[in-house]
């Protein structure tokens, strides 16, 4: 018998009534399968729910032996039901027993049934179970019947996700939706965080599934689609992205999907079968996600994020929900695909316990901010966004790069103890706070902190740092809604000086452009933004912006020493142009009767390899040098630091990079120009040990790294290390794996890392 379109709508209305009844979970499931069987004119309807041990358990049935409920089970891939769960797609057979995957379960009594239709119970593309109908007659179910069963499966998925049927699991394994998951990624920022998940791009949770008026829902879908298409058209027409490039191709792909009649037709069909507009979008995207996750085609898997984003955009238009998390717990673990530094700073630091990224590398800007804030972070965690639900318990281990979703009690206890142990270890480091930064063989070191936020300033006293070796001034600009005026900048810089007391502060001039976009300045699309119009290049081309900052710094530093360095300098001529601009501002302030600094020291960030071939000229012009190891490394190795595919391929302790670092420190020593390493390299004890062996004596790092690096240095005999390290860097010999050599050296000499 061919069903009518009224059938699914009637079934959904009846299901809504059953869902509202004050009955227990088993009785509700039993009523649901009876309703589905009657509506589908099927002799059997069964619900299988996926458990955390990978087994599909029969939870309810109409037509099969009721005694088999909670007794019959199949593994994923076993039998027709297991095949549906494995493939996440419907199976429609006129003679089920002839299928090679058919598995005979005598306790069910299903051997007399031939026609078989099964669909996966999906939520956000994740399989939660399987819904099956069967008939004795040899028949193939019609497309609208398949659609109706898939729509009904969505209602059951929400019932499972709501936790209503967990009580039926009895003493056995929990449901798969609540399964404990252990995921491995890349350790980005050290520390351990225990808390509850918050999605940075929250999924729209569909609470209204069943439509009252199909025509009204079709109109809501059409209106939302039109808004999404219009917004994409507007993006495409913007001047800065009107030319060809990868960014335009992505938008064109978005627009193609938004205009695709097949995609739209599937959603319209789901609405005609009784779903609301938002539920229809969720249903279709869940099917897409389930198929694409199982695809072996890497291109299709990469496009999954684009489709997810488009579906979320469409759902937000339908329900009128703004971007952002609805609730933010006191112990939030932020889960995101990726994010910029300003986005991370939007969150309340006091409530953040950890950060998990599907992408993100050790030198990405979000990682640097996480370290500055002391937030444990793990990146390159595949599928994190789809595998976690809002408010799920999460543990982030930023030391080992491990993330636990919905951890077991004993794992939570173990990590709680680890947190207590870390607190004790930090207390030991604090006891080193007043100890001199001197190596075992008596060499004095200067350990400084990197900063960019007012919340960092208490770390100066807590860590015992000698000062601030890098203050990233751009963060103030990135979190502001409009361009900070001279007075606002001056007030911030003055507060930094007050917090530093008599300790030195080295400011970096504005390093924006590229991937650090100011919200109030039009971004310039570039194919290689890291090597594009940014930092000193932008400052010299827009001198008004740089002069405003220099004026604020000069006024804030009145009566003190101003140390200012310029980033991304690629030739000595750029530095001399910047120095001339500073001189002009000094003359301006004096002419108008303003006090000026007692001393001015100007330097360069050495992070562009071309400067290595102008070192003599540069060192004759500057007062100091600061090695920006993050950018210098990525430019030397041609390895984008934000590309997760490359983060494990190249090592900053490679021979070529260590040779470059040694040449810099040797030339600076010869010219009597102070040199500091202020990239992330200086904050890791093993890498810091290598820098000391090369000859560096000034290191700037995240505040939390001061204690571990000082503990390492106080146990290190630098001359003994140099005697072993430097010969390995001589040309003409292959020294082997430098990281392994340094780690073995530390172990042999009891140097704590």
């Amino acid at each position: 018998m061919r069903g009518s379109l009224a059938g699914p709508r009637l079934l959904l209305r009846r299901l809504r009534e059953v869902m509202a009844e004050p009955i227990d979970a088993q009785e509700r499931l039993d009523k649901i399968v009876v309703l589905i069987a009657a509506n589908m004119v099927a002799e059997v309807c069964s619900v299988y729910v996926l458990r955390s041990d990978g087994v599909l358990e029969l939870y309810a049935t109409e037509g099969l032996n009721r005694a088999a409920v909670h007794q019959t089970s199949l593994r994923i891939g076993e039998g027709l039901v297991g095949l549906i769960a494995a493939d996440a797609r419907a199976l429609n057979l006129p003679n089920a027993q002839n299928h090679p995957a058919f598995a005979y379960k005598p306790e069910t009594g299903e051997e007399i049934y031939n026609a078989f239709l099964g669909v996966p119970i999906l939520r956000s593309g994740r399989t939660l179970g399987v819904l099956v109908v069967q008939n004795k007659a040899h028949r193939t179910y019609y497309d609208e019947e398949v659609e109706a069963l898939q729509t009904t499966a969505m209602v059951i998925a929400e019932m499972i996700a709501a936790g209503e049927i967990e009580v039926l699991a009895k003493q056995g394994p929990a449901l798969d939706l609540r399964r404990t998951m252990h995921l491995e990624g890349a350790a980005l920022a050290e520390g351990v965080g225990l808390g509850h998940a918050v999605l940075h791009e929250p999924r729209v949770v569909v609470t209204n599934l069943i439509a009252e008026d199909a025509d009204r829902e079709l109109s809501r879908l059409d209106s939302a689609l039109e808004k999404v298409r219009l917004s994409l058209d507007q993006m495409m027409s913007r001047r800065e992205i009107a030319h060809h490039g990868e960014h335009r191709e992505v938008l064109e792909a978005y627009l193609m999907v938004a205009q695709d009649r097949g995609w739209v037709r599937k959603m319209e069909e789901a609405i005609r079968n009784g779903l609301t507009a938002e539920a229809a979008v969720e249903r279709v995207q869940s099917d897409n996600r389930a198929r694409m996750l199982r695809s072996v085609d890497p291109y299709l898997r990469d496009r999954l994020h684009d489709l997810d984003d488009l579906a979320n955009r469409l759902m937000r238009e339908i329900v009128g929900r703004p971007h952002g998390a609805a609730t933010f717990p006191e112990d939030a673990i932020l889960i995101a695909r990726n994010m910029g530094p300003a986005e991370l700073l939007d969150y309340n630091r006091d409530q953040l316990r950890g950060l998990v990224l599907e992408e993100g590398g050790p030198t990405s800007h979000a990682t640097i901010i996480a370290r500055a804030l002391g937030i444990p972070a793990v990146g390159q965690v595949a599928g994190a966004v789809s595998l976690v639900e809002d408010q799920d318990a999460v543990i982030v281990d930023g030391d080992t790069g491990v993330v636990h979703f919905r951890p077991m009690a004993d794992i939570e206890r173990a990590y709680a103890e680890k947190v207590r142990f870390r607190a004790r270890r930090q207390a030991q480091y604090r006891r080193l706070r007043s100890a001199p930064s001197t190596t075992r063989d008596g060499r004095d070191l200067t350990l400084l902190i990197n900063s960019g936020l007012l919340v960092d300033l208490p770390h100066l006293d807590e860590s015992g740092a000698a000062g601030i070796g890098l203050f990233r001034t751009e963060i103030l600009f990135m979190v502001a809604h409009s361009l900070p005026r001279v007075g606002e900048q001056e007030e911030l810089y003055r507060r930094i000086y007050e917090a530093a007391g008599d300790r030195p502060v080295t400011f970096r001039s504005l390093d924006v452009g590229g991937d650090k976009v100011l919200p109030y300045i039009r971004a310039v699309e570039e194919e290689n933004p890291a090597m594009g119009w940014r930092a000193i290049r932008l400052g010299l081309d827009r001198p008004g912006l740089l002069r405003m900052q220099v004026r604020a710094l000069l006024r804030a530093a009145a009566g003190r020493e101003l140390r200012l360095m310029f980033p991304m300098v690629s030739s000595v001529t750029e530095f001399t142009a910047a120095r001339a601009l500073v001189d002009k501002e000094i003359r301006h302030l004096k002419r108008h009767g303003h006090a000026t600094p007692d001393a001015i020291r100007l330097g360069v960030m050495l992070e562009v390899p071309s400067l290595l071939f102008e070192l003599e000229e540069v060192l004759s012009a500057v007062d100091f040098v600061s090695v920006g190891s993050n950018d210098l490394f990525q430019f030397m190795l041609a390895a984008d630091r934000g590309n997760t595919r490359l983060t494990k391929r190249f090592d900053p302790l490679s021979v070529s990079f260590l040779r470059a670092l040694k040449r810099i420190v040797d030339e600076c020593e010869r010219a009597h120009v102070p040199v500091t390493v202020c990239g992330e390299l200086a904050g890791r004890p093993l890498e810091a040990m290598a820098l000391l062996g090369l000859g560096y004596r000034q290191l700037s790092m995240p505040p939390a790294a001061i204690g571990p690096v000082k503990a390492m240095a106080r146990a290190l005999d630098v001359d003994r290390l140099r005697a072993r390290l430097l010969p390995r860097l001589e040309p003409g010999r292959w020294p082997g794996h430098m990281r392994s050599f340094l780690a073995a050296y530390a172990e042999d000499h009891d140097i704590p890392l």
Side-chain angles (χ1 to χ4, degrees):
M1 181 184 295
R2 186 172 186 129
S4 68
L5 290 179
R9 290 201 294 272
L10 176 62
L11 172 59
L12 285 174
R13 281 199 293 272
R14 294 274 174 81
L15 283 173
R16 181 165 57 187
E17 293 168 4
V18 171
M19 298 292 280
E21 289 183 29
I23 54 180
D24 66 33
Q26 188 63 60
E27 190 176 353
R28 198 183 313 283
L29 274 180
D30 292 341
K31 282 196 171 189
I32 286 173
V33 293
V34 170
L35 271 175
I36 296 170
N39 184 271
M40 298 279 295
V41 195
E43 289 152 324
V44 172
C45 177
S46 305
V47 173
Y48 294 83
V49 177
L50 183 60
R51 303 188 321 215
S52 59
D53 58 355
V55 169
L56 292 147
E57 181 180 317
L58 179 63
Y59 261 59
T61 187
E62 166 67 7
L64 297 184
N65 185 355
R66 289 286 180 92
V69 171
H70 299 301
Q71 302 302 315
T72 295
S73 61
L74 302 106
R75 294 203 163 271
I76 291 181
E78 179 188 2
L80 301 177
V81 171
L83 181 63
I84 293 166
D87 292 346
R89 62 180 67 200
L91 194 59
N92 187 355
L93 303 170
N95 192 339
Q97 295 176 48
N98 285 349
H99 193 282
F102 180 78
Y104 177 54
K105 294 287 182 178
E107 70 273 15
T108 64
E110 66 179 327
E111 65 273 11
I112 62 173
Y113 300 103
N114 292 292
F116 176 100
L117 171 60
V119 299
I121 299 171
L122 299 172
R123 188 170 189 272
S124 298
R126 187 171 172 185
T127 300
L128 305 185
V130 175
L131 177 60
V132 172
V133 292
Q134 294 169 273
N135 281 82
K136 292 178 183 176
H138 294 267
R139 59 161 296 200
T140 301
Y141 292 92
Y142 295 110
D143 289 345
E144 57 262 38
E145 292 175 301
V146 177
E147 182 74 22
L149 199 63
Q150 288 174 322
T151 300
T152 309
M154 187 176 178
V155 177
I156 298 174
E158 292 305 317
M159 183 180 173
I160 296 172
E164 184 178 350
I165 70 169
E166 283 186 68
V167 294
L168 304 181
K170 302 187 190 309
Q171 300 303 314
L175 303 187
D176 185 71
L177 188 69
R178 306 299 175 200
R179 172 164 52 99
T180 292
M181 303 189 80
H182 168 104
L183 305 172
E184 294 187 2
L188 301 183
E190 68 173 19
V192 174
L194 287 78
H196 292 86
V198 172
L199 291 171
H200 174 58
E201 293 282 354
R203 292 188 291 268
V204 177
V205 178
V206 179
T207 55
N208 184 20
L209 292 168
I210 303 167
E212 295 285 351
D213 182 344
D215 290 338
R216 178 177 175 276
E217 298 303 319
L218 287 168
S219 176
R220 291 177 70 215
L221 175 67
D222 187 60
S223 174
L225 277 165
E226 192 56 40
K227 289 177 182 176
V228 168
R229 290 166 183 155
L230 182 61
S231 69
L232 291 172
D233 279 334
Q234 289 171 342
M235 288 183 197
M236 296 278 286
S237 63
R238 287 180 189 168
R239 186 175 66 180
E240 64 266 26
I241 59 173
H243 60 279
H244 290 287
E246 186 179 359
H247 55 279
R248 184 175 177 85
E249 291 169 7
V250 169
L251 284 178
E252 285 175 345
Y254 266 40
L255 196 56
M256 283 176 62
V257 175
Q259 294 173 337
D260 179 62
R261 281 304 306 165
W263 185 57
V264 175
R265 196 176 297 116
K266 288 177 182 177
M267 293 186 291
E268 291 172 343
E269 187 66 26
I271 289 172
R272 292 191 183 96
N273 279 336
L275 289 182
T276 59
E278 57 267 35
V281 177
E282 168 68 19
R283 238 294 314 281
V284 171
Q285 183 53 19
S286 196
D287 289 347
N288 287 339
R289 166 172 272 281
R291 284 196 295 272
M292 294 173 79
L293 280 172
R294 289 159 178 81
S295 172
V296 295
D297 185 337
Y299 176 81
L300 283 178
R301 290 176 66 90
D302 284 346
R303 296 286 71 74
L304 175 58
H305 288 341
D306 297 343
L307 285 170
D308 273 345
D309 289 341
L310 187 57
N312 279 331
R313 182 190 292 261
L314 181 56
M315 280 210 280
R316 281 197 292 271
E317 286 288 355
I318 290 170
V319 301
R321 181 171 299 171
H323 169 77
T327 58
F328 203 77
E330 292 294 324
D331 57 350
I333 305 290
L334 200 58
I335 315 289
R337 290 200 184 104
N338 211 340
M339 62 194 311
E343 292 177 291
L344 182 55
L345 288 166
D346 282 340
Y347 291 96
N348 185 343
R349 168 64 188 95
D350 293 337
Q351 294 174 280
L352 269 182
R353 297 291 181 271
L355 174 65
V356 179
L357 300 173
E358 287 194 2
E359 300 171 12
T363 57
S364 67
H365 298 296
T367 300
I368 292 170
I369 296 299
R371 289 196 193 115
L373 294 173
I375 299 170
V378 176
Q380 300 167 46
V381 182
V385 171
S386 62
L387 293 172
V388 73
E389 298 283 331
D390 258 323
Q391 303 301 313
D392 274 353
V394 179
I395 297 173
V396 180
D397 189 338
D399 299 333
T400 63
V402 168
V403 177
H404 297 270
F405 290 154
R406 302 170 292 274
M408 292 185 292
D410 58 343
I411 292 177
E412 282 195 283
R413 284 193 294 271
Y415 270 97
E417 178 55 36
K418 185 171 182 177
V419 169
R420 288 190 287 270
F421 174 78
R422 284 183 58 84
R424 290 193 294 269
R425 191 174 66 176
Q426 288 299 327
Q428 292 174 343
Y429 290 146
R430 281 194 292 274
R431 285 195 287 273
L432 284 177
R433 178 174 53 190
S434 57
S437 299
T438 307
T439 64
R440 188 175 179 181
D441 54 340
R443 294 182 180 271
D444 292 329
L445 308 177
T446 303
L447 303 183
L448 308 155
I449 66 167
N450 299 334
S451 179
L453 301 161
L454 289 174
V455 297
D456 294 333
L457 300 181
H459 296 317
L460 265 173
D461 292 325
E462 293 168 7
S463 65
I468 299 174
L470 165 64
F471 191 89
R472 301 181 176 97
T473 60
E474 63 273 4
I475 295 179
L476 167 69
F477 289 75
M478 292 169 70
V479 299
H481 297 294
S482 59
L483 181 66
R485 299 183 180 278
V486 171
E488 294 175 84
Q489 294 184 51
E490 180 185 349
E491 174 61 24
L492 172 72
Y493 303 144
R494 200 183 303 278
R495 289 174 66 184
I496 294 159
Y497 275 126
E498 289 170 358
D502 59 357
R503 288 165 291 198
V505 180
T506 301
F507 293 93
R508 180 174 70 185
S509 70
L510 202 57
D511 185 3
V512 294
D515 58 345
K516 288 185 276 191
V517 178
L518 300 183
Y520 40 83
I521 294 180
R522 175 176 289 181
V524 176
E525 289 289 336
E526 300 176 286
E527 288 196 18
N528 295 296
M531 297 186 289
W533 193 53
R534 55 171 282 212
I536 191 63
R537 301 168 181 181
L538 186 151
L540 292 176
D541 287 353
R542 288 195 173 177
L545 190 64
L546 183 56
R547 286 184 64 182
M548 183 186 298
Q549 181 179 37
V550 169
R551 186 173 301 177
L553 283 164
L554 288 167
R555 283 163 54 169
R560 297 184 54 128
E561 177 186 73
L562 172 64
R563 293 175 58 85
L564 174 62
M565 58 185 175
F566 301 102
M568 199 66 181
V569 172
S570 55
S571 72
V572 70
T573 55
E574 289 177 335
F575 174 77
T576 54
R579 180 183 279 280
L581 186 147
V582 174
D583 291 341
K584 188 174 183 179
E585 281 304 308
I586 293 171
R587 290 194 297 272
H588 171 85
L589 290 178
K590 287 181 176 178
R591 189 164 58 247
H592 289 84
H594 292 286
T596 55
D598 289 347
I600 297 174
R601 303 280 183 265
L602 301 180
V604 293
M605 290 277 289
L606 204 163
E607 48 194 348
V608 180
S610 63
L611 221 54
L612 290 171
F613 302 94
E614 289 187 20
L615 266 180
E616 290 184 359
E617 294 87 346
V618 168
L619 293 176
S620 66
V622 303
D623 298 311
F624 65 91
V625 168
S626 188
V627 179
S629 59
N630 299 348
D631 272 333
L632 182 61
F633 179 71
Q634 82 162 340
F635 294 143
M636 280 194 65
L637 276 295
D640 176 8
R641 69 187 194 177
N643 189 328
T644 56
R645 292 185 176 90
L646 300 179
T647 51
K648 294 180 181 177
R649 180 186 291 262
F650 300 106
D651 188 351
L653 292 181
S654 62
V655 173
S656 59
F657 194 56
L658 290 179
R659 283 173 177 167
L661 292 173
K662 184 175 185 303
R663 178 163 185 261
I664 294 167
V665 71
D666 287 349
E667 292 295 331
C668 287
E669 189 175 337
R670 190 174 295 116
H672 304 290
V673 173
V675 59
T676 304
V677 178
C678 65
E680 296 302 303
L681 200 66
R684 297 191 288 268
L686 182 68
E687 285 83 344
M689 186 179 83
L691 292 172
L692 298 182
L694 294 176
Y696 289 92
R697 299 293 176 261
Q698 294 189 165
L699 306 177
S700 191
M701 63 200 71
I706 292 284
V709 169
K710 184 184 280 191
M712 175 277 297
R714 287 174 60 84
L716 177 67
D717 186 317
V718 174
D719 283 344
R720 183 178 293 179
L721 173 63
R722 285 172 65 84
R724 294 281 306 280
L725 173 64
L726 298 186
R728 290 172 173 268
L729 299 179
E730 292 294 328
R733 61 172 294 181
W734 179 243
H737 194 265
M738 294 299 293
R739 181 173 294 276
S740 299
F741 158 72
L742 289 163
Y745 182 91
E747 184 175 357
D748 292 343
H749 293 82
D750 295 322
I751 298 168
L753 299 178

